[in-house]
Amino acid sequence: MWKIVVLTFLLNLLLPAIKTESFLPSITEIIKMHFRSAEGTNLFFCQKEDALLTLKKSLNERQSYFINHLGEVKKLQLTFLMPQVLGVFLDLTCEGGHVFLKQNSGAFNATFRWLFWCNDPTATTKLLHPTRLMTDSDVTLAYPNGTDIILQDVYRMHDTLPIVATNIQRWSKEGTVTYLAEPPPRVDFKGIALTGSLLLVDTVINKTEEIPLLFDPAYLPKVDANRRYGFTLFKHLSEYYNFKYKYIYSDVWGYPQKNGSWSGMVGQVKRREADMGLSGVHFSVPRTRVIDFVGILDTTVVCFAFLQPQLFGSYKALILPMNATVWACLLMIAVVGVVVFRIVAIYDDTSQSNDSWGGSFLLVLAAISQQGIPDSTDKLPTRIIYLSLLGVSFLAAVYYNTAILNGLLLPAPNAIQNMDQLLASDMKIATSDTKYLLYDMTHNDSLTMKLRKKMEKSKLPNGGYFTISGGVDMLKHGGLALYIMTREAYPDINSKLSAAEICSLTEIEKYRPFKTSGVLQKNSPFKEIFNRKFTLMRETGIMSRGKLLWNPRKQECNWKQDALVVGVEPLTVAYAVLSLGTILSFVIFLIEISAEMKQKKFTRKNSSSRLFKKNQF
């Protein structure tokens, strides 16, 4: 506090002859009001007395000002500590102010908020013509009008258009403010032509007259759908802001080259051959160094899509509900049951069926098969064995039948849920021929290298690279995980897979979904107004409708299973058991017939021998 008191005392000594009326009557209040939300505002004055008087008036203010004399400073000092929006007041009533403006003619983007003090607004407007005064500039002129001060908002939509000036406030000598008008909306480019880079990967446009056809989904359906979706959004921009397009063409998004240049759409915008790119581009740090991103147009999902291995419908369908350990335990119980039956049969003469090893086996098999035990006994030990077998077999059958029923009525649990499980599975790996995915599979990160190795082991035609249509055909048969970009693949998936198959389709993302944005030149003046319009499109549903129209997604599913048609394969085990039993019984039947015939032959031979001996005697 004492420092402020001392500084005030010194200023009073230095400025004994200066009166507040001799210096711009209300400019100090205007500065405080205009920069009330800006921290660290820079003030540049032509006269030292004006700078000292402003310093004196601002000593007790909460805002901080950096007050400068134009004879000592000619350029803004910018550091990484500067605020997000830097306020700048510049006195243009002297030649030093003109020089300062010329030296900082590029500092007119959204990072700066300017307030100019001048005597002639028309002459000041001419001074602003060579600067970067554009649609994102925040510039206000203050000039005297008698004893009042007029504040004027100035901007221009493009460097080929005139500057628009609007009187917005009048400040009286006493500090009273009269609002004259609102700053006009910055939405009219007056029909000028801006150059756009039109990205078409799979479409060839021969004439400018063919471009309107690209807005019709019925024209070349599914071809360059996402690029055309982005194109429609930029078309909305041109209609809203009243400008036209001149087109140049590219067939790739844009990647860095070995010589330091950039290819494709990004390269055209970087070299300022185009004002903007008319399609969404994946955000990446190297691209941010050469271009600006604007808005969020879409979310890109790249993943491996596959049908989970089916529990039912395969030859193992009747075995899979229980694992090998359970089957082994059931087999052991059956063996133990047969042995126990034979042991108790020695002391139980009331059992009718437990009369041999075969009878004991049939009793156990009947219990496990839930057919009951076709026997009755008076002995308690035998009854306890019967009940134990029926209890075990009942519980096993309940779980077995429940597993089969759940498999028919509910979606099968996902056995493969992440990339590690996919790599460890028996699934074959293939990649669709989308250009981005082909480029992505050339990377040498550990995951991509493992995927390439698994693709080689899969030994698929063409090295595992398929068209989207061909890949979906293979995916439909199961056992294949296809690397897709969802927005490119789902038109074919929706047309070739049934509703139940689509709902059962599993997607495992290789990367987290990433956003795509529009492309503008670095430090483009259109970034702010285009961002606002893209936000408006999102809020009003224009983007949502465009995504549904151009980029089909996986349908929302109330899960249902297709009607199950049981064929030969699911009942393979049952048929095998029936066939084995039939063959075994037929073999035993032949053996028994053979044995009986031998027995009869032996009996006849013995009978003839005894008769012969009897006749001799």
Side-chain angles (χ1 to χ4, degrees):
M1 184 67 184
W2 64 270
K3 293 182 180 179
I4 295 178
V5 174
V6 173
L7 184 57
T8 304
F9 176 75
L10 293 175
L11 288 173
N12 288 330
L13 291 177
L14 291 171
L15 302 172
I18 296 180
K19 300 178 181 180
T20 56
E21 289 79 1
S22 66
F23 175 65
L24 318 176
S26 302
I27 195 64
T28 305
E29 292 300 319
I30 292 174
I31 290 173
K32 288 193 293 184
M33 181 63 68
H34 192 75
F35 298 113
R36 62 186 180 276
S37 59
E39 292 294 333
T41 298
N42 287 262
L43 311 180
F44 299 91
F45 294 94
C46 291
Q47 304 297 326
K48 289 183 178 181
E49 292 80 1
D50 295 342
L52 291 173
L53 185 57
T54 304
L55 177 61
K56 177 182 177 181
K57 289 187 174 183
S58 64
L59 284 178
N60 294 319
E61 298 295 332
R62 292 183 178 180
Q63 294 169 281
S64 59
Y65 298 106
F66 297 97
I67 301 175
N68 305 274
H69 177 231
L70 285 169
E72 302 170 356
V73 180
K74 292 185 179 180
K75 195 165 185 179
L76 285 171
Q77 302 299 315
L78 305 179
T79 68
F80 69 94
L81 294 176
M82 65 177 286
Q84 185 175 5
V85 178
L86 180 65
V88 183
F89 169 82
L90 178 59
D91 187 352
L92 289 176
T93 60
C94 63
E95 185 63 27
H98 298 177
V99 173
F100 186 91
L101 177 62
K102 186 176 181 181
Q103 291 292 327
N104 297 276
S105 60
F108 282 84
N109 57 23
T111 305
F112 301 91
R113 188 175 197 195
W114 290 86
L115 175 62
F116 294 113
W117 171 254
C118 62
N119 293 322
D120 184 359
T122 303
T124 302
T125 300
K126 293 180 180 179
L127 288 175
L128 291 173
H129 268 288
T131 68
R132 189 204 169 278
L133 178 68
M134 294 289 279
T135 94
D136 62 338
S137 302
D138 186 350
V139 177
T140 303
L141 303 184
Y143 63 91
N145 184 16
T147 59
D148 297 336
I149 295 177
I150 302 296
L151 297 189
Q152 191 176 78
D153 175 76
V154 294
Y155 74 95
R156 61 182 169 186
M157 295 297 293
H158 194 263
D159 55 14
T160 61
L161 296 175
I163 293 176
V164 179
T166 306
N167 294 337
I168 56 174
Q169 293 179 10
R170 179 190 297 273
W171 286 67
S172 68
K173 182 178 180 180
E174 293 76 18
T176 304
V177 184
T178 303
Y179 290 91
L180 305 177
E182 289 292 327
R186 304 180 182 187
V187 295
D188 191 0
F189 279 88
K190 306 296 182 182
I192 65 171
L194 300 179
T195 304
S197 174
L198 182 56
L199 173 63
L200 296 172
V201 178
D202 303 313
T203 309
V204 178
I205 295 295
N206 297 320
K207 298 179 181 178
T208 305
E209 290 77 10
E210 297 179 14
I211 290 178
L213 296 175
L214 296 176
F215 300 115
D216 183 2
Y219 175 71
L220 299 177
K222 303 180 186 178
V223 178
D224 275 318
N226 187 256
R227 272 73 68 191
R228 291 159 69 181
Y229 159 70
F231 188 21
T232 59
L233 298 183
F234 276 94
K235 184 64 175 177
H236 280 294
L237 280 182
S238 69
E239 294 172 351
Y240 183 78
Y241 289 115
N242 187 25
F243 64 87
K244 300 176 182 178
Y245 285 116
K246 293 186 297 184
Y247 299 102
I248 59 176
Y249 304 98
S250 58
D251 59 359
V252 292
W253 288 265
Y255 304 99
Q257 307 298 300
K258 292 181 179 180
N259 60 5
S261 64
W262 282 75
S263 63
M265 182 173 67
V266 172
Q268 290 174 339
V269 175
K270 175 184 179 295
R271 296 188 295 270
R272 299 188 176 271
E273 298 169 7
D275 294 298
M276 66 197 79
L278 305 180
S279 177
V281 174
H282 173 212
F283 176 88
S284 68
V285 174
R287 285 174 176 163
T288 61
R289 300 190 182 107
V290 296
I291 51 99
D292 275 344
F293 289 95
V294 57
I296 297 176
L297 309 187
D298 197 10
T299 301
T300 298
V301 179
V302 293
C303 63
F304 283 90
F306 56 92
L307 297 175
Q308 288 281 349
Q310 293 185 355
L311 179 62
F312 297 97
S314 67
Y315 70 94
K316 299 183 292 184
L318 297 178
I319 298 177
L320 288 175
M322 296 182 180
N323 62 25
T325 303
V326 175
W327 286 114
C329 289
L330 290 176
L331 178 61
M332 183 174 64
I333 289 172
V335 172
V336 171
V338 172
V339 172
V340 171
F341 269 134
R342 294 313 306 143
I343 293 174
V344 299
I346 301 174
Y347 308 98
D348 185 3
D349 55 358
T350 64
S351 178
Q352 300 175 1
S353 300
N354 189 20
D355 55 355
S356 64
W357 285 98
S360 300
F361 174 75
L362 289 175
L363 287 174
V364 173
L365 183 61
I368 294 176
S369 303
Q370 292 291 285
Q371 299 301 312
I373 297 180
D375 198 5
S376 177
T377 179
D378 296 336
K379 303 298 183 180
L380 183 60
T382 306
R383 291 184 176 185
I384 292 175
I385 296 171
Y386 287 170
L387 291 174
S388 300
L389 276 174
L390 288 173
V392 171
S393 62
F394 171 75
L395 293 176
V398 166
Y399 283 109
Y400 181 84
N401 294 332
T402 302
I404 291 181
L405 187 62
N406 284 344
L408 296 177
L409 300 181
L410 301 176
N414 293 337
I416 302 174
Q417 300 180 359
N418 54 51
M419 288 302 302
D420 290 335
Q421 292 176 347
L422 177 61
L423 289 169
S425 71
D426 295 331
M427 281 280 182
K428 295 181 179 180
I429 296 292
T431 299
S432 60
D433 62 356
T434 304
K435 287 192 175 182
Y436 176 82
L437 301 183
L438 295 177
Y439 173 75
D440 179 68
M441 289 299 289
T442 63
H443 294 166
N444 289 321
D445 58 279
S446 59
L447 177 57
T448 304
M449 292 174 68
K450 291 178 182 178
L451 289 170
R452 286 204 301 266
K453 187 175 181 180
K454 189 171 180 65
M455 281 181 63
E456 293 174 2
K457 291 182 178 179
S458 298
K459 296 181 179 180
L460 295 169
N462 199 30
Y465 294 95
F466 298 97
T467 63
I468 295 176
S469 178
V472 172
D473 287 337
M474 296 192 66
L475 181 149
K476 184 179 177 68
H477 293 92
L480 176 75
L482 182 64
Y483 191 29
I484 61 170
M485 186 179 289
T486 55
R487 65 182 181 221
E488 303 285 349
Y490 264 100
D492 285 285
I493 290 175
N494 290 338
S495 64
K496 295 190 175 188
L497 270 62
S498 67
E501 287 173 333
I502 294 173
C503 292
S504 302
L505 194 68
T506 299
E507 297 176 359
I508 294 182
E509 297 169 357
K510 184 183 178 187
Y511 308 118
R512 294 180 62 183
F514 51 83
K515 307 298 182 181
T516 57
S517 300
V519 175
L520 295 176
Q521 293 178 2
K522 195 68 177 175
N523 196 27
S524 171
F526 311 133
K527 183 175 181 178
E528 294 298 321
I529 61 172
F530 283 9
N531 263 327
R532 289 198 292 270
K533 179 57 179 175
F534 282 132
T535 301
L536 182 63
M537 290 184 195
R538 186 178 303 107
E539 293 175 349
T540 56
I542 293 176
M543 284 189 178
S544 297
R545 181 184 178 279
K547 291 175 184 178
L548 291 175
L549 186 65
W550 293 101
N551 301 327
R553 295 291 200 266
K554 183 176 182 178
Q555 62 188 17
E556 294 185 7
C557 301
N558 294 320
W559 195 90
K560 67 176 184 177
Q561 174 70 49
D562 282 346
L564 182 65
V565 178
V566 180
V568 175
E569 186 176 359
L571 297 176
T572 299
V573 175
Y575 293 141
V577 171
L578 177 61
S579 300
L580 181 62
T582 302
I583 294 172
L584 184 61
S585 64
F586 184 71
V587 171
I588 294 175
F589 173 70
L590 292 178
I591 294 174
E592 287 181 347
I593 290 177
S594 177
E596 185 178 358
M597 292 177 64
K598 288 182 179 180
Q599 182 65 31
K600 288 181 178 180
K601 185 177 180 180
F602 179 76
T603 302
R604 285 197 300 270
K605 184 177 180 180
N606 288 342
S607 176
S608 301
S609 177
R610 287 196 299 270
L611 182 60
F612 176 75
K613 290 180 179 180
K614 184 178 180 181
N615 291 333
Q616 282 184 341
F617 291 104

